[in-house]
Amino acid sequence: GDSVTQMEGPVTLSEEAFLTINCTYTATGYPSLFWYVQYPGEGLQLLLKATKADDKGSNKGFEATYRKETTSFHLEKGSVQVSDSAVYFCALRGGGATNKLIFGTGTLLAVQP
Amino acid sequence: DTGVSQDPRHKITKRGQNVTFRCDPISEHNRLYWYRQTLGQGPEFLTYFQNEAQLEKSRLLSDRFSAERPKGSFSTLEIQRTEQGDSAMYLCASSLKASANTEAFFGQGTRLTVV
């Protein structure tokens, strides 16, 4: 079945460092891909998405490119801030009527001043 | 606040008791999803509704779990005879009828602890 694998955390960075969180997926057909973020004490929020190959999703300085050839959707940010500390989830939504989301296990990012 | 709301935010119950959670979706959203998230894991799909019809249930949803969405508005998730393994965060999400660009909006979740 469809699945998502993302790098384990925690990832600890200093402010202004470059961030990459790896995400790869297995899916039949042509899934849509998402990054969700969960700040402490808050619900899941959509960070960015891409719905077809070679699309780049971007938001709040974060970017991810849908790479069909490597089945990847890695999250990047050029300069992280303390306020980016959160848990980041990669997810896919496959075809079919349900349109349910399938999530990775999440990666905790801790940014130190 | 026009987001997805869940009640209660926290619930502690004794093993064997029944619990019920409520989710109020965004008002114009016709799809409603329930997910379960255990510590250190991503959310896992449990079930979803389109309007009042429950259209899919995961194998994770044992016979002790039941969900309803009367009148296609709010939804309830009931767990009967709770077990310690039911301890988790229960998340509700809602969306418009799906397309490739449809976004699902999540509530803050109900954290269940079974002691």
Side-chain angles (χ1 to χ4, degrees):
Chain A
D2 295 353
S3 66
V4 174
T5 302
Q6 62 181 105
M7 65 186 285
E8 293 190 14
V11 173
T12 303
L13 296 173
S14 298
E15 209 165 20
E16 300 183 1
F18 184 85
L19 168 70
T20 300
I21 300 178
N22 290 337
C23 171
T24 57
Y25 67 90
T26 301
T28 54
Y30 303 96
S32 296
L33 301 174
F34 304 82
W35 278 99
Y36 279 82
V37 59
Q38 189 170 36
Y39 297 103
E42 299 186 15
L44 282 167
Q45 300 174 26
L46 178 65
L47 179 60
L48 53 84
K49 66 182 179 184
T51 58
K52 62 183 187 297
D54 300 325
D55 269 2
K56 177 185 282 188
S58 61
N59 186 25
K60 300 181 180 179
F62 291 89
E63 292 183 340
T65 300
Y66 187 163
R67 301 284 189 202
K68 194 171 189 300
E69 64 276 14
T70 54
T71 62
S72 65
F73 193 55
H74 304 320
L75 182 68
E76 297 182 336
K77 187 175 185 182
S79 176
V80 294
Q81 304 301 311
V82 172
S83 57
D84 293 326
S85 298
V87 181
Y88 292 81
F89 292 94
C90 185
L92 70 81
R93 186 173 64 208
T98 307
N99 275 58
K100 63 189 176 191
L101 290 163
I102 295 170
F103 288 87
T105 54
T107 302
L108 173 64
L109 170 66
V111 181
Q112 298 176 336
Chain B
D1 184 9
T2 57
V4 178
S5 63
Q6 293 188 244
D7 183 70
R9 294 287 308 279
H10 303 273
K11 178 71 177 178
I12 300 174
T13 191
K14 292 184 178 179
R15 186 163 50 93
Q17 298 294 305
N18 299 344
V19 294
T20 300
F21 311 139
R22 176 179 171 125
C23 171
D24 286 89
I26 294 171
S27 59
E28 65 267 25
H29 286 182
N30 52 12
R31 288 201 167 202
L32 186 148
Y33 301 80
W34 285 99
Y35 291 82
R36 180 172 67 188
Q37 184 178 14
T38 53
L39 200 61
Q41 300 297 315
E44 296 174 294
F45 170 79
L46 292 179
T47 188
Y48 97 101
F49 293 83
Q50 180 156 311
N51 300 313
E52 66 275 8
Q54 187 175 18
L55 296 185
E56 184 173 337
K57 294 193 290 186
S58 162
R59 289 173 299 168
L60 294 175
L61 214 63
S62 77
D63 291 345
R64 296 183 298 105
F65 288 69
S66 62
E68 295 182 340
R69 192 184 182 197
K71 302 178 184 178
S73 55
F74 71 91
S75 175
T76 58
L77 178 67
E78 181 183 17
I79 309 174
Q80 296 183 327
R81 305 181 303 281
T82 52
E83 302 172 356
Q84 286 189 322
D86 297 331
S87 295
M89 178 76 85
Y90 291 84
L91 299 171
C92 177
S94 72
S95 73
L96 292 168
K97 188 175 179 182
S99 68
N101 285 309
T102 302
E103 178 179 348
F105 293 82
F106 282 81
Q108 291 184 293
T110 294
R111 181 170 296 284
L112 172 67
T113 303
V114 181
V115 298

